[in-house]
Amino acid sequence: MAETTDRGASPELDEALDRYRVELTGYCYRMLGSAFDAEDAVQDTYIRAWRSFDKFEGRSSLRSWLYRIATNVCLDLLNAGNKRARPMDLTAPQHQASAILNERPEVTWLEPIPDGRVLPQTADPAEMALARESVRLAFVAALQHLPAKQRAVLILREVLAWKADEVATLLDTTVASVNSALQRARATLSATRMRESQSADPLDAEQVKLLGQYLAAFEAYDISRLTSLLHEDAVLSMPPFDLWLQGHEDIAAWHLNQGIGCKGSRLVPTTANGMPAFGQYRPREDGQPGWTPWALQVLEVSDGKIVGLNAFLDTPRWFPLFGLPEQLDESYEPYEVQQGA
C-alpha cells in the first residue's frame, strides 16, 4: 500500500479526492437540492474515505468507491426527511393585490449553486450540455419528487451514463431492480411539468441581446419594457417566501407596488445552475450613495423570452458563495452582458 499521509490515507486517495470534488459535488447537489448540503455531503464522503481507505481493496475504481460512499451519505440525509422544493411545488399562485408574504425555513427551499462548483470542465460539447441541463432548477426540483434510491439510479444512469450493472453494484442490488427503478423514475419525471430553459454558457447572440435588454430595463425600472421580455405566463418567485406570481399583469403590479423598493437597483451578471443570473443591489436605505445586496436573480429563458424570475433573497448566503461584491459604491460602473460569457 502507498505511504500514508497524516490523515491515514494515501497520496493516491488525496489526488482522487481533488480530481473528483466537482463531479461529486454535482452528484450530491442533484440528490439533495442544496448547495451547502452538497458540500457538507462531499466533505463527509472524504472523511469516511480517509477513515476507511485501509479497507479499500481495489475491487472497484477509486471513483466508483467514492460514489458509493457519497450515495450512502446522501441516502442517510434523505432518509432523515430532507426534501427541497420551489414555491411552485408548495402553493398555488397568488395575485399581487392579495399577495401574502409567508416565510418558510431555509431547509424548505431548493437552492441555487454556482456553475463552477458542480460542472466539471470537458471538451465534449454534448457532455457539457447534458451536465448543464441536469443542474437546471426545474430538473433538480423534479428530482426531489423521486424516492431517494430512484433519484440515485436516474442520476447515475441518465446523467452520469453509468451502466446498469455498475449501478447495481454500487447500490448492492440487481440489474433488474436498477432497470425497474429507472423506468419508474422516468415515468414520474414525465408526469412532472418541467419548462424548457436554455443554458447560459456560452451565451449566444440572441441570449446576449435578451439579457442586455433585461438588465437595461430593470436598472431603468421600466416595468413595461421589462414585462415585454417575459413569456405571457412567466413566473416570479422569491424564496424564502412561498409566494409566487404568474403572468405579466401580476408581475408588473408587484414591481410597482410591494416591490417598488427595487427601483434604482443595479445588476451584476453571473451564472447559476447553468442559467443566466444577476446579483441585484438595491439603493442604500440610509440615503447614502451606493447599493447593498438584495437578491440573487436566476433567470430561466426559453425561445427568446424569460419564463422564470427566481429571486433568492437570503443574500448573506448567496453573495459570498457566488463571489459577488459585498456592496457597490460610487465607483460602480454598469456591467454589460457579453457573448460567450
Side-chain angles (χ1 to χ4, degrees), residues 194-211:
M194 277 191 293
R195 299 189 74 160
E196 294 296 324
S197 58
Q198 298 160 344
S199 69
D201 185 16
L203 293 174
D204 60 28
E206 182 180 349
Q207 290 173 315
V208 168
K209 180 180 178 181
L210 175 66
L211 297 175

Side-chain angles (χ1 to χ4, degrees), residues 241-287:
F241 301 110
D242 59 16
L243 167 76
W244 62 285
L245 304 169
Q246 187 168 35
H248 288 189
E249 183 177 344
D250 279 312
I251 292 175
W254 176 269
H255 283 92
L256 294 172
N257 290 277
Q258 295 97 321
I260 195 64
C262 291
K263 187 174 183 178
S265 290
R266 296 294 179 261
L267 300 181
V268 176
T270 184
T271 57
N273 296 76
M275 299 182 295
F278 294 97
Q280 179 194 345
Y281 297 76
R282 294 209 317 187
R284 289 179 49 153
E285 292 184 354
D286 60 9

Side-chain angles (χ1 to χ4, degrees), residues 20-276:
Y20 299 126
R21 178 177 290 275
V22 172
E23 65 173 274
L24 283 170
T25 303
Y27 175 61
C28 293
Y29 174 71
R30 296 178 186 99
M31 287 287 292
L32 302 173
S34 163
F36 296 99
D37 285 357
E39 295 197 344
D40 288 346
V42 171
Q43 189 59 32
D44 193 1
T45 297
Y46 285 9
I47 291 171
R48 295 188 190 189
W50 285 323
R51 289 174 176 170
S52 61
F53 187 69
D54 59 342
K55 300 176 183 177
F56 175 63
E57 299 176 350
R59 288 194 294 257
S60 63
S61 69
L62 263 175
R63 179 173 180 261
S64 298
W65 183 63
L66 290 172
Y67 268 93
R68 183 187 184 95
I69 298 173
T71 300
N72 288 332
V73 170
C74 290
L75 292 178
D76 287 345
L77 289 170
L78 293 169
N79 288 336
N82 295 0
K83 181 180 178 181
R84 300 283 177 155
R86 304 175 79 186
M88 297 76 81
D89 299 320
L90 302 177
T91 64
Q94 295 188 42
H95 293 293
Q96 174 274 327
S98 56
I100 298 173
L101 286 174
N102 178 47
E103 185 172 350
R104 298 205 188 192
E106 170 270 319
V107 294
T108 303
W109 302 114
L110 180 72
E111 297 180 346
I113 196 165
D115 289 2
R117 301 289 182 104
V118 293
L119 297 179
Q121 294 302 309
T122 173
D124 185 337
E127 187 176 326
M128 196 64 194
L130 175 60
R132 292 193 192 102
E133 175 71 16
S134 69
V135 294
R136 288 190 305 121
L137 290 173
F139 182 77
V140 180
L143 289 175
Q144 307 304 300
H145 293 280
L146 300 176
K149 286 194 175 180
Q150 284 186 30
R151 199 179 308 178
V153 167
L154 186 129
I155 296 168
L156 291 166
R157 292 282 285 120
E158 303 264 289
V159 177
L160 301 177
W162 284 41
K163 297 177 180 178
D165 60 338
E166 294 173 328
V167 177
T169 299
L170 182 145
L171 294 175
D172 285 329
T173 189
T174 65
V175 169
S177 294
V178 167
N179 290 336
S180 176
L182 180 59
Q183 186 176 12
R184 294 196 303 274
R186 284 171 173 167
T188 300
L189 289 194
S190 294
T192 303
R193 296 179 60 189
M194 277 191 293
R195 299 189 74 160
E196 294 296 324
S197 58
Q198 298 160 344
S199 69
D201 185 16
L203 293 174
D204 60 28
E206 182 180 349
Q207 290 173 315
V208 168
K209 180 180 178 181
L210 175 66
L211 297 175
Q213 290 173 333
Y214 175 82
L215 187 154
F218 198 95
E219 291 194 342
Y221 220 65
D222 185 337
I223 302 306
S224 176
R225 181 154 50 114
L226 187 148
T227 53
S228 73
L229 305 174
L230 307 180
H231 191 276
E232 62 182 9
D233 61 351
V235 166
L236 168 66
S237 66
M238 294 166 283
F241 301 110
D242 59 16
L243 167 76
W244 62 285
L245 304 169
Q246 187 168 35
H248 288 189
E249 183 177 344
D250 279 312
I251 292 175
W254 176 269
H255 283 92
L256 294 172
N257 290 277
Q258 295 97 321
I260 195 64
C262 291
K263 187 174 183 178
S265 290
R266 296 294 179 261
L267 300 181
V268 176
T270 184
T271 57
N273 296 76
M275 299 182 295

